[in-house]
Structure formats: structure tokens, C-alpha cells
Amino acid sequence: MIESPRPLVVVGSGYVGLVAALCFAELGHSVVCVDRDAGKIEALRAGRVTVYERFVPELLAKLGGTRVHFTTDLPWAVSQAGLIFVAVGTPQARGGKADLSHVETAVRQIASHLQGYTVIVEKSTVPVFTSRWMRQLIENCGVSPDQFDVVSNPEFLREGSAIADFLHPDRIVVGSSSEKAADLVAAAYRPLTSGEYYRRPDVILGQCSQLAPPPLMRTSCESAELIKYASNAFLAMKVSFVNAVANLCEMAGADIADVAPGVGADKRIGTEFFHPGIGYGGSCFPKDLAAFRTVAESCGVDFSLLGAIERINEIQPLRFLEKIREMAGGIDGRRFAVLGLAYKGGTDDVRESPGLRVVRLLLAEGGRVSAYDPAAMEKAAACMPPHSGLEYAASEMEAAAGADLLLILTDWPQFASLDLPAIARLMAHARLLDGRNVLDPRIAAASGMQYGCVGRPGVPAAAVRRPAAAAPNGAEHGLTLRTSRERPQRILLTGAAGFLGSHLTDRLLQEGHYVIGVDNLSTGSLTNVAHLANDPRFELLERDACEFLDPGRVDFIFNFASPASPPQYMRRGIETLRVGSEGTLRMLDLAAKYNAGFLHASTSECYGTPEVHPQPEWYWGNVNPVGPRSVYDEAKRFSEAAVMAYRQHRAVATRLVRIFNTYGPRMQPD
């Protein structure tokens, strides 16, 4: 055992914090794990696990209350510590940036209670330069620079195998400008780097050993911070790359089960994270990729590759939806059995789960879903409560009963050994679509199932091609938003959190439709749509309409995104021009893709500075492209021209509405 006069302190008891606390204790350290969630701390003290993770129950039973202690008392813990690992959440903020508010709160509290020289270690995933920001924050709290150091020690844990990843790492990265601080952090890992831990009879087995211990890499803080983001971005790229190749295999008649191993056999490429499916998800890849992209942009680096990775991943579930539509003969009114809700097997985490996204898309198009997951049922139900169209089953068999199509959306190992003949007998139609390629097509076919998958011959290439769309009913029959009595429409509305957009959203929901609101909140306000937070028919995407966006098939698009009053568009001139041009073109492309109706909100400002008042319809105004209002005037004129061009040349069913002065609730006073 390691005897240290001062214990290690881990702030945060989530996936990273709890795993780090238990593993440091497993290495022989005395550890204090702090969290402000009293319920979570009470559960951990009682030996109840708070995350679904292999080996966590065993280590908690073995070490809880002896080598690792749990508390909500951060001041006491800080006063005891020599090393403090900050492992709090860094969720995604607006614009893709990392939200460091939890880090800031923890660091301020730590700074207020430091006693003696202490090393603060950033374990959370954070952008480059965060260590500098933390140091300045601590100094601003009145702490002398010689009383502390900040070290970057990123984690490289995979949910489902986090304990083994911690104890058998590919590398341990310690970033610091202080040799003294780096030595202290390196000492915490010495049982691993010396091979001492692997000599123990009760060792948790993995890739490392006494003869092959993990390497420790010393870098600057900035290098360590970039290593983490760059690693996750590269892994996400591998996933998107293999999914794109799988899509190509379907069109070319090749088999991704042959292509991926053939490519991965190259040692420069490898087979890890090289398995096709319906896309990546979880708490790391989506937010880390977005944050990495914003970091590159802020540094003036063109890293457009990151955007391509995101776009491929965003489209992948939509391609899978086309397979579902083809195999089931439609979605509306069909019953679907869904196996797997977690973003991957081995965890109960449903954050950014592509499986949940597929379920939402099915429900939005009128499908009925019976879902089962070995671990993630409770968390899935918390974010998507059961209702008339969605139920949670107690087993695979229960989910499959009466289904028109069985979907595998998570790669749980047990789904590879399903009793397919028995399941086929329970289903209304014996059809299976394997979104994770966990089954052997020959075995599935032998069971009597019609079988489809991703990138393999189980689904003919024609199945992923959308049938030629019927001509839209714009010019010939007029633009019509059908009432919900016929079928609820799935509507995309940009500018949904604005004055007009939020009222229109209310009206559409009252009529029984589903609304996907898009707003980057530059001038819109969450307050305007706060009353819709629990409405299952409303989803708000905090996105810029100028960026790539594809939420799946929509029936209608209302394009209302734009700063709309002189104080707004004069402050945000370039943003106003972009949303009127790039944003409108992106939405028109989406309407063309899904044969959706399109209504564009324009304005009397198209007339330019008025010389005639009141303005009759025939008045074309006084155009002034260099005047103070030009950014708004010209943006609206361009967007109107774009709408008419798509109507004429792409046969999109479009309409323009010019809105004159409008007042009412939710309008900004200025």
C-alpha cells in the first residue's frame, strides 16, 4: 500500500470522477471523492453504484469506506489534499464551445480553501488554454502563484471498459510547465508505470503487464489538452469514414465485412473504431468534436474536415431510416421492435444516442415503437417518457411481439445470439434490420427472417435509393399544410425562439403537428419557448441555420430566421447577410431533398427606404445597398430571389410572405 500524508482528492463522481477515484484507490492511494449531489454521495457511501460500468460494483464494495471516501464537503477535502483531480462535466454550450461553468465553480471553491502547496489537475475534457485560464482564476482568488500548480492529465476512457482502460492505458499524459508538479502527478501513476500493480495476484487483467507497463508522456499543458481533443476527433473520423465506405459498398455491391478488415489490416490504419453502423454518439465525440472545431476557428485554422465528420454522422441515421421505410413498406402506422437504446453496448448512457434519434424519427412519422435495452431503459424513459406510441418492453421477446420490423440499434453482445426462429414466430412480419451488423446474415436468413444490415449484401443497393419524388404541388396545386386530422405534419421552423417564430410554433403545436425549432439564440430567447420544454412534439435545436442541418424527413419548412429589428441587424450586419443568403439556400436544399413545402418570411424592408407611405403593392421602393439598413434589405431581397429560383428551377413548392409592422407579447421592448 502507498502511504501518503495527504490523500488524493477527486472532484466529481460521474463516469470519469468515480472511475478515477476507485482506480487510484485500487493502486493503493487514499482517495477522497467529492460531489455536491448529496443523493449520489449517499448512494456511493451505501455501496450503490451510480454508473453502469464493468468492475465498478466490485471495486466499490472492496474499497468504499476504506481506501476511498465519499463526501459533499469540498472545503474539508481540499484542506486535506496534495493532488486535486477536477473531473466535473464540460457539456456543450452554444456555438459548439465547451461549457466550463462547472470547472469554474469547482476551481473557485478549491482556491478558497487551499492549504499549503497543492497541484490542481484538470481531468475533465477541456479546450486548449484552459490550464492558463484556471491558473489565472486561482490567482484572481488571491492565491500566491508559489502555492499551487495546474497540470493537464486527460483521460482516455471508453464507457463500458473504463476501469480496464484506466488500469491498462495506452499512455498516460501529464502536461505541466512545472517539473515539481509533473513529478507529483507521475508519482500517483507509479504503480502502473513501474509495473508494480501488475505483480499483484488480484490484478484486473488487461493489455499491460509487469514487463510491458504503460508509458508516461510529459508535455506542456497545451499539448496535453490538444492530445485529448485530437484523439477523439480522429476516432470519430474513423467511425464516419467506415460508415461512408459502408454506404458506398451498398451502392457498388461490395461487402463492408470484407472491405473494413481489408483496410484495417494495414497497421497504419488498424481495426479499432472501424465498424459500420448508424453513427457515433455518447457524451464525448459529439461535444468534443464541436469544441475542437470552435477552437480551430478561434485560432484561425481551417479544419473543415471536422465539419465533414459531423455531417456524415448526422446523415447516417437518416440513411438507416430510408432502409426502415423500404423494408417496412412505410412508417406511419407500422409497429417497430427496437433492441438497444444506449449509444453503444456496455453502458446505460443514452446521451446523443443515434438509436434514440431513430426512435424519435419513427415516432415523428407515425410509427409505434416497443423498445428494450439491457441497461438503458430507465435513462431512456427519463428523456423520452412512454406514451401511446412508445412502450418499453421487459425483454427482446416482449418487444418483438406483433412487430412489423425488428431493429437492432445498439451493439450489445447478447443481441448476436438472439433466438431468431422464436422471435420470427412472434412477429407480425419476420423482418429484421441490423443497424450494428451484430448478426451473421446467413444465420439470420436461415431463421426465416428477411434480413437487412449496413454495407452488406443483406440490403440490396436499391433499398437505400429513395424513389423518385412526385412533382411537388406548389405551382400546379398550391401550397397546402394538411391538418392534423389527416396526418400530423413534421415541420421545421427556423427562428423558432424569436418573437414571430415562437407564436407560430405555438399555433402549429395546437393544430397537432410536430415542430423542430432551429435557433442559434443570437436574437431569439429560450424564454419564448420555455413553456414547451415538456411537449413531446417539440424539439429545439440550438443551431445556426447557415450550418449543415438535416433532421430527417420534414413535410414543411417555415424559414423565419433573421435578426428583424434595426437595433439587431445593425449590430449583427454580417450575420444578417449570411442567414438571408447561406441560411435560406440551406433550407431550400433541405426542402428539395424531402419534397417539403417551403414558406419564407420576408418583409416590407424589401422596398428599401420608403418614399411612399402608405406603400401599395406595386411600389418597388428605393434600393440603397450601401445605406445603414442595407444588410437587412439586401439579405431579404436575395432570399426572395432564391425562393423564386428554387420554385422555378428545382420545382420546390414555395411561397413568400411579406410581414409588415407587427407587435405583441414576447417582442423585445427595444
Side-chain angles (χ1 to χ4, degrees):
M1 290 295 181
I2 297 171
E3 296 300 333
S4 173
R6 303 178 75 184
L8 303 183
V9 170
V10 177
V11 181
S13 64
Y15 279 97
V16 176
L18 182 57
V19 167
L22 291 173
C23 286
F24 278 130
E26 169 74 355
L27 297 181
H29 297 287
S30 176
V31 181
V32 176
C33 185
V34 189
D35 200 295
R36 62 185 179 183
D37 187 333
K40 189 181 289 187
I41 290 299
E42 182 181 353
L44 291 169
R45 283 174 173 170
R48 300 194 305 273
V49 295
T50 53
V51 298
Y52 185 93
E53 188 66 48
R54 189 182 181 199
F55 295 124
V56 164
E58 295 85 346
L59 290 183
L60 184 60
K62 171 184 173 183
L63 302 167
T66 55
R67 302 300 299 184
V68 60
H69 300 271
F70 300 97
T71 182
T72 58
D73 191 347
L74 182 61
W76 172 82
V78 171
S79 69
Q80 305 296 308
L83 281 175
I84 301 176
F85 291 82
V86 179
V88 297
T90 53
Q92 186 173 329
R94 294 177 190 172
K97 295 181 179 179
D99 180 356
L100 299 180
S101 59
H102 299 303
V103 176
E104 181 175 1
T105 298
V107 169
R108 286 187 182 277
Q109 292 178 343
I110 289 168
S112 299
H113 298 92
L114 289 177
Q115 294 186 11
Y117 176 78
T118 308
V119 178
I120 295 94
V121 186
E122 53 174 34
K123 198 70 175 167
S124 304
T125 300
V126 294
V128 66
F129 305 129
T130 298
S131 58
R132 296 186 193 179
W133 168 76
M134 287 173 61
R135 171 170 285 280
Q136 189 61 56
L137 193 62
I138 296 170
E139 290 183 9
N140 290 346
C141 291
V143 181
S144 173
D146 60 1
Q147 290 298 300
F148 75 95
D149 273 306
V150 176
V151 171
S152 177
N153 174 221
E155 53 83 14
F156 303 98
L157 310 179
R158 297 167 297 173
E159 289 186 32
S161 60
I163 295 289
D165 289 343
F166 190 104
L167 298 173
H168 295 268
D170 295 321
R171 75 289 203 196
I172 298 165
V173 177
V174 177
S176 177
S177 59
S178 164
E179 188 172 345
K180 175 183 177 182
D183 286 344
L184 288 172
V185 176
Y189 289 99
R190 189 164 295 129
L192 299 179
T193 56
S194 68
E196 175 188 343
Y197 171 71
Y198 308 111
R199 291 198 294 267
R200 286 169 38 178
D202 60 343
V203 62
I204 292 177
L205 298 176
Q207 66 177 358
C208 297
S209 67
Q210 182 181 350
L211 297 178
L216 186 138
M217 301 173 60
R218 296 194 183 213
T219 71
S220 67
C221 285
E222 291 77 16
S223 294
E225 290 161 342
L226 279 177
I227 285 170
K228 171 60 178 178
Y229 268 145
S231 296
N232 276 2
F234 191 85
L235 294 175
M237 182 186 69
K238 290 190 71 173
V239 176
S240 285
F241 183 85
V242 77
N243 280 335
V245 173
N247 299 337
L248 184 57
C249 284
E250 291 176 0
M251 308 308 291
D255 190 338
I256 192 64
D258 297 328
V259 174
V263 174
D266 189 321
K267 294 178 181 179
R268 297 168 298 176
I269 298 173
T271 58
E272 289 292 317
F273 288 83
F274 215 52
H275 307 285
I278 57 174
Y280 61 74
S283 63
C284 292
F285 283 5
K287 74 176 181 68
D288 291 353
L289 205 66
F292 197 29
R293 177 165 47 82
T294 61
V295 166
E297 290 171 356
S298 68
C299 292
V301 175
D302 180 0
F303 212 155
S304 51
L305 172 64
L306 300 176
I309 295 167
E310 292 174 310
R311 287 194 292 275
I312 292 170
N313 192 64
E314 194 164 322
I315 290 173
Q316 197 65 11
L318 305 180
R319 290 185 60 90
F320 192 71
L321 193 72
E322 293 299 321
K323 296 174 184 286
I324 294 173
R325 188 177 286 110
E326 179 74 17
M327 185 173 276
I331 292 176
D332 191 12
R334 302 292 196 274
R335 181 177 175 86
F336 299 94
V338 167
L339 302 186
L341 299 166
Y343 84 92
K344 71 170 188 174
T347 180
D348 63 348
D349 196 346
V350 297
R351 288 174 289 182
E352 301 293 334
S353 167
L356 278 191
R357 185 180 178 201
V358 169
V359 170
R360 289 192 180 98
L361 291 168
L362 292 173
L363 296 173
E365 293 198 24
R368 293 176 297 140
V369 174
S370 180
Y372 170 75
D373 189 284
M377 302 278 275
E378 184 177 344
K379 289 187 176 179
C383 64
M384 202 161 53
H387 53 80
S388 58
L390 172 65
E391 63 183 23
Y392 292 96
S395 67
E396 296 95 328
M397 293 293 191
E398 183 177 311
D404 296 299
L405 178 62
L406 178 69
L407 305 172
I408 297 178
L409 304 183
T410 307
D411 55 345
W412 284 99
Q414 67 195 65
F415 295 160
S417 55
L418 293 170
D419 187 346
L420 294 179
I423 287 177
R425 289 192 292 270
L426 292 172
M427 297 177 65
H429 298 93
R431 299 182 290 215
L432 191 160
L433 192 51
D434 184 357
R436 296 295 185 179
N437 288 6
V438 300
L439 293 167
D440 185 320
R442 294 167 297 182
I443 295 176
S447 71
M449 285 272 201
Q450 180 185 350
Y451 178 76
C453 49
V454 178
R456 291 151 75 184
V459 177
V464 298
R465 293 193 179 98
R466 293 183 60 229
N473 60 6
E476 295 78 11
H477 306 293
L479 188 64
T480 305
L481 180 62
R482 295 192 296 272
T483 66
S484 61
R485 288 187 296 275
E486 297 176 53
R487 180 175 72 83
Q489 304 290 280
R490 192 163 188 257
I491 297 167
L492 178 72
L493 197 156
T494 66
F499 162 51
L500 292 176
S502 62
H503 285 289
L504 181 55
T505 297
D506 287 344
R507 174 62 180 267
L508 293 170
L509 292 172
Q510 289 168 9
E511 293 183 356
H513 301 295
Y514 296 89
V515 178
I516 306 159
V518 177
D519 206 303
N520 68 354
L521 303 178
S522 64
T523 59
S525 171
L526 288 175
T527 304
N528 291 342
V529 291
H531 61 291
L532 304 175
N534 297 318
D535 192 324
R537 294 166 302 132
F538 176 69
E539 179 183 6
L540 180 65
L541 303 179
E542 292 188 28
R543 298 279 292 275
D544 190 328
C546 298
E547 297 178 354
F548 173 80
L549 173 71
D550 192 334
R553 181 166 296 202
V554 292
D555 300 292
F556 215 97
I557 296 175
F558 287 90
N559 193 39
F560 275 60
S562 178
S565 68
Q568 293 173 335
Y569 61 67
M570 287 180 179
R571 284 195 309 267
R572 304 174 183 274
I574 295 175
E575 181 179 337
T576 302
L577 286 168
R578 288 190 65 225
V579 75
S581 54
E582 295 176 45
T584 300
L585 291 174
R586 285 195 181 277
M587 292 303 108
L588 285 166
D589 283 336
L590 198 63
K593 177 178 181 178
Y594 291 116
N595 192 28
F598 189 93
L599 179 69
H600 178 72
S602 191
T603 171
S604 61
E605 301 300 317
C606 279
Y607 295 122
T609 304
E611 293 181 335
V612 177
H613 184 78
Q615 296 169 346
E617 287 295 318
W618 51 261
Y619 175 68
W620 289 105
N622 179 15
V623 175
N624 182 358
V626 296
R629 305 157 67 96
S630 62
V631 290
Y632 188 60
D633 302 350
E634 297 301 322
K636 287 301 182 183
R637 276 192 283 274
F638 177 89
S639 61
E640 285 196 2
V643 169
M644 296 307 296
Y646 271 70
R647 179 182 179 84
Q648 180 178 355
H649 300 290
R650 298 283 298 275
V652 178
T654 65
R655 286 291 187 274
L656 291 167
V657 55
R658 283 182 175 172
I659 301 172
F660 287 64
N661 290 340
T662 309
Y663 304 90
R666 305 178 195 161
M667 188 173 189
Q668 295 181 20
D670 61 347

